Amino acid sequence: MNSTPSPRKPFNRLLLTGAAGGLGKVLRESLRPYAEVLRLSDIGEMAPAAGPEEEVVRCDLADKQAVHQLVEGVDAILHFGGVSVERPFEEILGANICGVFHIYEAARRHGVKRVVFASSNHVIGFYQQDQKLDAHSPRRPDSYYGLSKSYGEDMASFYFDRYGIETVSIRIGSSFAEPQNRRMMSTWLSFGDLTQLLECALYTPNVGHTVVYGVSDNHNVWWDNHLASALGYAPRDSSEVFRAKVEALPLPAADDPARIYQGGAFVASGPFDD
Ligand code: NAI
Ligand code: 15L
């Protein structure tokens, strides 16, 4: 039989944290072409269990030793794990703040040279929706969650300056199958565009620490994303195809944070009194 060998994939082993989550499930499929082996990790149970060319490692990001073992033998890390919404500070602390430190420290000790960090628009969520920003605009976190992502970006910056570990921090807008409300008409990132942006973030040489926005080619975007363009990102999707469906939803009141702030409802979450 004359079978053609399949071409070698660009990475031997890629680590994806948060692999049991909403985006993790999507990326588990879409990242297949990029690595001989995908190492999938989460604190929660992974379903389905490991398939061909997959390794599943259950790991709490708050556990430094466990993260150290998790990172051994990988070529690059896509760090998507952690608390993904606003929660009391103590819950954010272990998963997101200690977690991102553990990831970078393990990367340093194992010689991993590239990280892609799932940051968030909530790093700049207290800007109003009529303000145009780029990745260098001063941060205005809207929540403990947004603060943890801001800290993650600083961690990435420090590990590049001190140890030469390169990172692309992607301030993801709203990455779901469809935009779920009017605000997401501006912030939506399709799964296809997310995958393309990850490819750019993994392959582009000499990124140092680059911050980009994770957003599709929507109308009325609030973010100048020229740094993503410089990585070769050219989004193919737009929220416009969902406009009629989204505009059929009730219009929030004029003073609703969802209509005023880039971070929407996150600006009004808390306080979390004991
Ligand atoms: P998700 O909440 O569905 O997934 C996060 C995963 O992290 C979950 O499976 C959870 O079990 C895991 N996790 C939580 N604490 C952990 C811990 N201590 N140790 C190990 N794993 C832990 O969130 P989603 O939507 O999939 O987002 C993925 C990443 O992208 C998150 O970091 C989120 O902050 C970020 N992001 C997502 C956006 C979106 O629109 N989906 C927007 C902006 C940022
Ligand atoms: C995020 O950072 C969250 O992880 C996600 O669940 C959405 O709330 C998104 O931001 C958003 O702002 O729409």
Side-chain angles (χ1 to χ4, degrees):
M1 200 169 64
N2 185 14
S3 65
T4 318
S6 52
R8 187 146 179 82
K9 296 176 179 178
F11 290 95
N12 184 39
R13 185 173 274 97
L14 276 181
L15 168 62
L16 174 65
T17 67
L23 294 183
K25 288 190 184 98
V26 172
L27 296 175
R28 184 176 181 175
E29 296 306 317
S30 69
L31 291 174
R32 265 175 204 279
Y34 303 112
E36 298 292 335
V37 177
L38 265 185
R39 183 173 293 169
L40 304 164
S41 182
D42 205 284
I43 196 172
E45 195 174 342
M46 203 80 59
E53 301 171 359
E54 289 182 341
E55 297 169 345
V56 168
V57 182
R58 204 149 174 185
C59 174
D60 181 353
L61 290 161
D63 181 337
K64 187 175 185 184
Q65 189 53 36
V67 175
H68 180 72
Q69 287 168 12
L70 174 68
V71 169
E72 184 172 15
V74 307
D75 303 317
I77 301 170
L78 297 145
H79 183 40
F80 277 68
V83 175
S84 65
V85 291
E86 178 61 331
R87 297 296 301 156
F89 181 77
E90 293 76 8
E91 288 181 39
I92 303 271
L93 178 62
N96 292 18
I97 294 181
C98 297
V100 76
F101 165 61
H102 296 159
I103 286 286
Y104 277 96
E105 198 45 16
R108 179 189 69 78
R109 290 169 68 190
H110 289 300
V112 179
K113 289 295 184 196
R114 180 63 61 106
V115 178
V116 181
F117 173 52
S119 185
S120 170
N121 71 88
H122 295 287
V123 162
I124 43 83
F126 254 116
Y127 282 99
Q128 299 203 358
Q129 294 178 4
D130 57 4
Q131 294 177 281
K132 186 97 177 175
L133 311 179
D134 67 18
H136 297 302
S137 304
R139 287 172 261 177
R140 295 183 73 179
D142 59 19
S143 49
Y144 298 128
Y145 166 70
L147 277 167
S148 76
K149 295 295 186 179
S150 181
Y151 181 79
E153 291 184 7
D154 282 340
M155 186 70 73
S157 175
F158 168 71
Y159 270 83
F160 174 65
D161 288 339
R162 178 67 182 84
Y163 300 111
I165 296 173
E166 296 196 281
T167 297
V168 177
S169 290
I170 304 177
R171 291 182 184 165
I172 301 171
S174 307
S175 195
F176 299 96
E178 298 181 5
Q180 297 165 356
N181 52 47
R182 285 174 170 75
R183 172 181 161 274
M184 289 191 194
M185 291 298 293
S186 292
T187 58
W188 186 62
L189 172 65
S190 73
F191 296 149
D193 286 340
L194 170 63
T195 302
Q196 187 206 142
L197 187 49
L198 292 180
E199 181 179 322
C200 297
L202 284 169
Y203 292 174
T204 308
N206 305 321
V207 294
H209 176 227
T210 299
V211 178
V212 301
Y213 289 94
V215 66
S216 283
D217 186 22
N218 310 325
H219 293 189
N220 192 30
V221 168
W222 309 317
W223 308 317
D224 168 347
N225 214 9
H226 68 276
L227 293 178
S229 307
L231 299 182
Y233 176 59
R236 296 189 190 101
D237 297 314
S238 165
S239 61
E240 219 35 43
V241 296
F242 301 104
R243 182 167 292 282
K245 191 172 173 184
V246 169
E247 291 189 350
L249 299 169
L251 181 66
D255 62 351
D256 189 319
R259 277 180 68 179
I260 300 172
Y261 293 99
Q262 298 199 1
F266 279 56
V267 306
S269 40
F272 298 96
D273 294 324
D274 294 330

